Amino acid sequence: MAAMVNDGSSAHGAADDGSGTDGTDGTDERSDAAPVRVLLVDDEALMRSGLRLMIDGARGIEVIGEAADGHAALEQTAALGPDVVLMDIRMPRMTGLEALAALRERGDQARVVMLTAFDTDEFLLEALRSGAEGFLLKDSPPEEVVEAVLAAAAQRPRFSPEVLRRLVRLAADRGAAGASGSSRAPGARADGTADGALGGAGAASTAGAGPASSSAGSPSAEASLSPAPEGITEREWDVARLVAQGLANPEIGASLFMSVATVKTHLGRLYQKLQVTNRVQLAIAVLELGG
């Protein structure tokens, strides 16, 4: 699993745009910041012990509690107020997915990183739709676990290559299933793109095929390989596609010859139009809309 790079920003500072970079030189500033307080949630005591050994005390991380299932995770989150919850997807009594949904429903601000074996793609999609900040394979090396926690605390959701590849494949599979004309699956158009995006995170009322791209020959032509959905401009769609490829805001700006401030403006409009709240959910929307 590719490491999620820490930018050194404080978990308690002002929320950024989630670009994955703040323009700094990448030095670690955590020594002067408040510790990142983490709750470990897994039904296996051995797994929790291993995670604690990996991250407790590393680069300003403090493990403040443990829970063995989703119910206990909800109780501990309310009692302890962690910055990050590192939580298994599959657990007895209440799964990690159910706990994540409950946390979001009650408005809890803790960032959730899911532990997964990637055994079911639907689990991956459901967790991302519900607002998970990231994913870790259970056999991830210690430094990747540390980086994932720090990235989540800094409100910088990121795709690992494994996540992105699975999302692309799943979106392609769904598109192929929907391309069979009258027998197409509900929620897909005959051209193989989805009618809506993100399901539980909000159906995209702007979905639908828009006019063909007129940006051929422009710097963004390579990014606009598919028409923008109705209600979304071609320039916004260019930005959205590059977000789905994992690019940070400065990289998107350089690719499309626009300022970082303009990229952020497009992102804000995309979040509103597609009814998503972060870059991970936006990337899923792009994939499900055929981007």
Side-chain angles (χ1 to χ4, degrees):
M1 180 175 179
M4 300 182 183
V5 179
N6 172 39
D7 63 4
S9 62
S10 170
H12 299 285
D16 72 351
D17 57 278
S19 66
T21 180
D22 59 1
T24 66
D25 62 2
T27 55
D28 193 344
E29 301 170 359
R30 292 230 57 87
S31 59
D32 297 325
V36 176
R37 304 168 72 250
V38 178
L39 174 67
L40 303 177
V41 185
D42 196 292
D43 60 309
E44 297 181 7
L46 185 60
M47 185 68 188
R48 297 197 306 271
S49 297
L51 288 169
R52 182 182 284 272
L53 287 172
M54 285 183 186
I55 68 175
D56 195 21
R59 296 168 63 183
I61 295 175
E62 178 186 358
V63 174
I64 60 172
E66 299 182 11
D69 58 48
H71 283 298
L74 294 177
E75 295 172 355
Q76 291 284 71
T77 301
L80 301 175
D83 300 306
V84 177
V85 179
L86 190 55
M87 182 158 56
D88 189 16
I89 284 184
R90 286 189 169 183
M91 293 182 293
R93 293 215 306 156
M94 177 183 279
T95 69
L97 293 176
E98 293 169 336
L100 172 59
L103 287 171
R104 293 297 167 255
E105 184 177 352
R106 74 185 191 190
D108 199 290
Q109 297 302 305
R111 305 286 165 173
V112 178
V113 176
M114 305 302 296
L115 293 166
T116 178
F118 275 142
D119 51 356
T120 303
D121 285 332
E122 286 301 325
F123 284 175
L124 171 63
L125 282 176
E126 184 178 346
L128 290 174
R129 286 167 174 153
S130 297
E133 293 289 326
F135 283 83
L136 283 174
L137 295 176
K138 284 200 167 185
D139 59 355
S140 296
E143 183 58 23
E144 290 184 8
V145 180
V146 170
E147 296 288 359
V149 168
L150 295 176
Q155 302 181 40
R156 300 183 186 278
R158 289 176 179 270
F159 286 106
S160 71
E162 292 90 344
V163 171
L164 186 56
R165 281 195 296 269
R166 284 177 175 266
L167 287 174
V168 170
R169 180 177 60 77
L170 187 58
D173 289 347
R174 288 185 172 184
S180 56
S182 60
S183 62
R184 63 193 174 95
R189 294 194 299 266
D191 63 359
T193 60
D195 286 331
L198 297 178
S205 59
T206 57
S213 172
S214 59
S215 60
S218 71
S220 61
E222 185 175 350
S224 296
L225 300 179
S226 64
E230 184 178 352
I232 296 176
T233 69
E234 291 296 339
R235 204 60 166 166
E236 289 168 352
W237 196 233
D238 292 341
V239 171
R241 287 179 53 85
L242 293 180
V243 169
Q245 294 174 27
L247 273 65
N249 287 355
E251 297 169 321
I252 294 173
S255 177
L256 300 177
F257 299 97
M258 64 175 64
S259 68
V260 172
T262 301
V263 173
K264 292 180 180 180
T265 297
H266 287 314
L267 283 174
R269 292 171 180 165
L270 286 162
Y271 288 177
Q272 182 178 22
K273 292 178 179 181
L274 292 175
Q275 300 180 31
V276 300
T277 59
N278 61 45
R279 297 169 79 89
V280 175
Q281 292 180 350
L282 174 59
I284 298 173
V286 171
L287 296 173
E288 292 190 337
L289 289 167

